[in-house]
């Protein structure tokens, strides 16, 4: 490893498994102190134990403002600052317009959209005090193009794309960069649980002919978190094997 995050402190939401867990492992390997934030307490605590003194676990429901306040306070107390936030946490339920319910819309809004907004607001002050920071908001290719059956999920991911750009215009003057990633079909538990019928067709719609891995996504996220991307702000990084071309 090349120590690309030495001296940095990162909060990773939805980090108990899949994409977030891969990021946590890579970030620690690259020298960061990591806060694993999730509602999956057992899995999150096990991952923190595995990563040792460089990681802690905090319970965080991203749609709950008081949970964000507690997570930031714990991070500052344990590690002294915040340099990176990755808003991974998300929910994904396929539904046509005919199948949509207000409850399903609200679930996606609360986690995917409100959760990102609360995260942006929660880390703004400590990052501003530090004079620098990198925030990575995980959107989706569903935030780049409309896909059938994705209205509840996709509209929140379009919102994440917009939130990223608005935050980038205001946070940038304080040295805080805000960018979004747009994963395609990544081999995760969430994809497997909710898109069994989609999985078989992925080679046909993806020019690279396969799903992406969580490690590939983690490497791209690491680049945005590191100083290697120091002049990248308000950008959209598509990680989809060419699906959205």
């Amino acid at each position: 490893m090349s120590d690309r995050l030495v001296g940095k402190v990162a909060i990773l939401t939805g980090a108990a498994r899949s994409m977030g867990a891969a990021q946590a492992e890579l970030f620690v390997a690259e020298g960061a102190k990591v806060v694993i934030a999730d509602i999956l307490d057992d899995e999150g605590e096990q991952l923190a134990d595995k990563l040792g003194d460089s990681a802690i676990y905090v319970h965080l429901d991203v749609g709950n403002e008081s949970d964000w306040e507690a997570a930031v306070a714990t991070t500052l107390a344990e590690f002294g600052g915040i340099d990176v936030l990755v808003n991974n946490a998300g929910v994904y339920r396929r539904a046509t317009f005919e199948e949509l319910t207000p409850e399903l819309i609200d679930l996606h809004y609360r986690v995917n959209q409100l959760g990102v907004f609360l995260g942006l607001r929660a880390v703004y002050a400590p990052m501003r005090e530090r004079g620098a920071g990198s925030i990575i908001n995980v959107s989706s290719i569903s935030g780049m193009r409309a896909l059938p059956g994705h209205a509840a999920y996709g509209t929140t991911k379009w919102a994440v794309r917009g939130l990223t750009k608005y935050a980038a215009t205001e946070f940038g003057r304080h040295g805080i960069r805000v960018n979004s990633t747009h994963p395609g079909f990544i081999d995760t538990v969430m994809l497997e649980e909710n898109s069994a019928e989609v999985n078989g067709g992925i080679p046909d719609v993806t020019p690279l002919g396969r799903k992406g891995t969580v490690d590939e996504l983690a490497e791209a996220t690491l680049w945005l978190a590191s100083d290697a991307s120091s002049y990248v702000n308000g950008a959209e990084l598509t990680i989809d094997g060419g699906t959205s071309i």
Side-chain angles (χ1 to χ4, degrees):
M1 294 299 178
S2 57
D3 298 330
R4 289 172 282 182
L5 295 181
V6 167
K8 296 189 184 297
V9 177
I11 298 177
L12 310 177
T13 72
R17 65 182 187 179
S18 293
M19 295 191 301
Q23 291 165 13
E25 294 185 6
L26 181 59
F27 280 28
V28 166
E30 291 285 350
K33 302 294 185 182
V34 168
V35 177
I36 299 162
D38 211 310
I39 59 173
L40 301 175
D41 296 333
D42 291 342
E43 292 173 75
E45 288 169 356
Q46 289 170 12
L47 179 59
D49 289 343
K50 174 184 174 182
L51 296 178
D53 294 339
S54 292
I56 60 171
Y57 173 75
V58 297
H59 180 91
L60 173 63
D61 173 355
V62 295
N64 185 308
E65 188 173 14
S66 62
D67 274 15
W68 272 109
E69 292 170 353
V72 166
T74 299
T75 303
L76 296 176
E78 291 288 330
F79 296 133
I82 302 170
D83 302 286
V84 178
L85 168 65
V86 185
N87 280 310
N88 284 298
V91 294
Y92 169 45
R93 304 287 187 273
R94 285 174 56 82
T96 65
F97 265 95
E98 186 178 13
E99 296 166 335
L100 283 178
T101 64
E103 292 76 18
L104 193 59
I105 293 285
D106 185 64
L107 171 66
H108 284 84
Y109 164 75
R110 187 174 180 278
V111 178
N112 297 354
Q113 184 175 342
L114 179 63
V116 170
F117 170 76
L118 293 176
L120 287 164
R121 193 168 66 174
V123 303
Y124 174 70
M127 284 188 175
R128 180 175 179 175
E129 182 177 341
R130 224 155 165 88
S134 177
I135 300 172
I136 300 104
N137 296 325
V138 181
S139 179
S140 166
I141 58 169
S142 293
M144 303 290 287
R145 56 181 290 192
L147 300 173
H150 285 68
Y153 175 76
T155 51
T156 59
K157 292 304 185 177
W158 278 86
V160 168
R161 184 182 177 189
L163 277 170
T164 298
K165 293 190 180 299
Y166 278 104
T169 64
E170 296 187 23
F171 290 21
R173 69 195 66 179
H174 303 294
I176 304 167
R177 301 181 295 110
V178 189
N179 296 289
S180 60
T181 58
H182 296 260
F185 298 108
I186 308 297
D187 193 8
T188 63
V189 174
M190 189 165 69
L191 181 67
E192 188 65 32
E193 288 177 343
N194 295 288
S195 284
E197 72 277 22
V198 171
N199 281 322
I202 288 173
D204 297 327
V205 298
T206 304
L208 286 184
R210 63 175 177 83
K211 289 182 283 189
T213 70
V214 292
D215 292 330
E216 288 172 319
L217 184 59
E219 284 286 351
T221 307
L222 171 66
W223 180 72
L224 287 173
S226 76
D227 293 337
S229 59
S230 57
Y231 201 57
V232 179
N233 186 40
E236 302 163 350
L237 180 57
T238 304
I239 312 160
D240 67 352
T243 305
S244 59
I245 293 174

